[in-house]
Amino acid sequence: MPGRVHPRQLAFSLPHAESLSRDNFLEGPANAAGVALIDAWPEWPNRIMWLAGPEGSGKSHLAAIWSEASGARSTTANALTAEAVPGALVTGALVVEDPKVREFDERALFHLMNLAREDDAYVLFTGRQMPASLEIELPDLRSRLRAVPVIALLPPDDQLFRGLIVKFCADRQLAVDESVVSYLATRLERSSAAARQAVELLDSEALRLGRPVTRALAAELLRDV
């Protein structure tokens, strides 16, 4: 009918569960050292270890795998208080995520490292920064952190990057062909975070426009990338 207004399809941002199981972790040269660390537990070179890497490099996924194996609890560095340390270590293992400059209680972290040593507990730090780059005021904590062995996760190689794109599409139940994967792999920044964001954009826009996820749609949305 002339003048009839057609309703626009709305795209709802629904949560998409991402499996953090070992079976769903994509391995490659970039994360081989991190995988080896998790597999080596409890025969670690130090009871306190540091897993460092850029956003989306798999730190949280590896930590979740280790937590499943070790019974570790998990906390963010900025949420840890000195009073909470004994309870956090009650299982004998703890993941401490994302220590950032001036965003955590130094005395709580120092208490944690001391108690972990006294109780023979395990602590796995995960973060984008290396411990040596943190501006620590407490001299004893600074020296303790700089003595913690660091395992670094690297940006993904081509095979792993393509696998991540496929995985993120599968997590969102998106059916894509090889042309889409190849286009994304050659256009995006080589990082897990960039791949995840691109797949999220394709998914939401395909739903909003009522179109399948194709290379043409990817080219339209990512032409300026």
Side-chain angles (χ1 to χ4, degrees):
M1 295 177 58
R4 181 176 180 179
V5 177
H6 295 275
R8 181 185 183 189
Q9 183 173 359
L10 299 178
F12 295 95
S13 181
L14 300 176
H16 291 267
E18 182 177 348
S19 173
L20 295 179
S21 69
R22 176 60 187 269
D23 291 342
N24 208 33
F25 185 82
L26 297 180
E27 299 182 30
N31 56 38
V35 173
L37 173 69
I38 301 307
D39 287 346
W41 183 82
E43 302 301 323
W44 281 0
N46 193 310
R47 284 183 174 269
I48 300 177
M49 300 294 296
W50 191 290
L51 191 61
E55 179 185 0
S57 57
K59 301 184 297 297
S60 294
H61 197 153
L62 286 171
I65 295 170
W66 180 67
S67 295
E68 179 68 22
S70 66
R73 293 188 173 185
S74 180
T75 183
T76 57
N78 64 359
L80 188 66
T81 64
E83 295 76 15
V85 166
L89 276 178
V90 71
T91 66
L94 180 68
V95 174
V96 181
E97 295 190 290
D98 208 19
K100 296 178 181 177
V101 174
R102 304 187 187 285
E103 291 189 13
F104 57 85
D105 184 336
E106 292 188 12
R107 296 188 182 280
L109 219 57
F110 186 57
H111 181 34
L112 169 68
M113 297 183 76
N114 285 337
L115 189 60
R117 185 171 60 179
E118 292 172 9
D119 292 353
D120 289 330
Y122 293 88
V123 177
L124 177 63
F125 288 98
T126 68
R128 301 180 197 179
Q129 295 179 277
M130 298 289 189
S133 69
L134 297 175
E135 298 175 8
I136 304 296
E137 294 184 1
L138 286 176
D140 288 342
L141 176 60
R142 184 166 59 246
S143 63
R144 292 278 180 87
L145 284 176
R146 291 181 176 178
V148 172
V150 177
I151 302 298
L153 302 178
L154 305 175
D157 59 21
D158 184 66
Q159 181 177 355
L160 178 57
F161 189 54
R162 295 171 70 90
L164 287 169
I165 294 170
V166 172
K167 175 185 180 299
F168 294 146
C169 288
D171 287 341
R172 304 178 77 88
Q173 299 183 338
L174 289 180
V176 296
D177 60 29
E178 178 61 26
S179 66
V180 176
V181 176
S182 295
Y183 181 82
L184 295 178
T186 56
R187 293 283 294 179
L188 297 175
E189 169 193 313
R190 188 62 64 85
S191 73
S192 177
R196 180 183 284 106
Q197 290 168 6
V199 171
E200 289 175 355
L201 176 63
L202 284 171
D203 187 19
S204 62
E205 287 299 288
L207 178 60
R208 184 180 68 83
L209 298 170
R211 294 172 56 182
V213 177
T214 62
R215 185 189 182 284
L217 178 61
E220 290 177 25
L221 298 177
L222 303 174
R223 63 168 61 94
D224 295 327
V225 174

